[in-house]
Amino acid sequence: MTTPLSVSPPPFPPTPPAQPGPPRARRAWIVGVVGALVLVLVAGAAVWWLTRDEDGSPLAGRPRVTDEAAGLSYAVPEGWKRNDGKDLIQAFTSSITTKGPDGHGGAAVLAGRGRGIDESALKQRTETAARSNAEFFYPDGTSTVEESRATTVSGRPAYTVALSVRDDTGRAGRMRLTLVTRGGDRSAFLLGVTESPEPTGGAGREADEVDAVLASAAVR
């Protein structure tokens, strides 16, 4: 008897699938992810754009991504580019990106979805997933926890973790992952990846904008 394929959402949060080839070949692909819009929109996901004012938000009045697949919306900072369904990897459902000064460095925010998770497990799952994604985006690198705290998104329990990261070539950056429970068997996340244009780190404005995007998240 053939076991049918599962059609349920992936376990949360997904780690991007390993790309073919050695880590250095994967680095070139990763730089392309941040520098150009090469992330996939999951088949069947609906994403559109709207403007919504949010009093008190640094991104109040900015256009927003509405990601029906993840069940989230989030603001788009000025100068960032929106993914309207380009070719991409399956771990994510929508994304926005920006390039750093003179085309060096840059940042991306990616959304995705997963199965339900108990509030008591949010801390452990978010920290584990953040480190797993750091290993993917920065192969053979190291990561250090800058921040790890409980939060809420649209009144729902959530957790956010920020990591500083560096690989064996000296490439440095920062990552933030926020995981939010959506009730029942659903959860969602936003992942921000910032690559510093300087070997010493200091992601600067892009890291602040990533934090503002994740802080702007709302459950749909």
Side-chain angles (χ1 to χ4, degrees), residues 73-183:
S73 73
Y74 52 96
V76 183
E78 183 177 359
W80 286 57
K81 294 183 178 181
R82 303 171 297 190
N83 171 24
D84 294 317
K86 306 293 182 181
D87 304 304
L88 259 218
I89 61 175
Q90 194 178 1
F92 308 110
T93 54
S94 65
S95 70
I96 57 175
T97 64
T98 186
K99 291 184 179 180
D102 301 322
H104 299 292
V109 172
L110 311 104
R113 61 183 176 176
R115 295 188 183 130
I117 180 172
D118 292 335
E119 184 176 354
S120 61
L122 274 173
K123 179 178 187 293
Q124 184 270 327
R125 294 289 293 275
T126 308
E127 289 182 346
T128 298
R131 291 192 181 96
S132 295
N133 277 276
E135 291 172 3
F136 175 80
F137 283 97
Y138 287 80
D140 301 324
T142 59
S143 62
T144 303
V145 176
E146 291 183 350
E147 183 180 354
S148 177
R149 62 179 174 84
T151 185
T152 60
V153 175
S154 297
R156 297 176 185 267
Y159 205 90
T160 189
V161 173
L163 304 174
S164 59
V165 289
R166 184 181 301 275
D167 70 10
D168 61 350
T169 70
R171 192 168 61 94
R174 183 173 178 271
M175 301 182 68
R176 179 180 290 278
L177 177 68
T178 297
L179 165 61
V180 55
T181 61
R182 294 189 54 218

Side-chain angles (χ1 to χ4, degrees), residues 45-65:
V47 178
W48 65 87
W49 314 95
L50 55 92
T51 300
R52 178 194 300 173
D53 290 330
E54 293 192 358
D55 293 339
S57 168
L59 299 178
R62 292 297 305 162
R64 294 180 67 85
V65 179

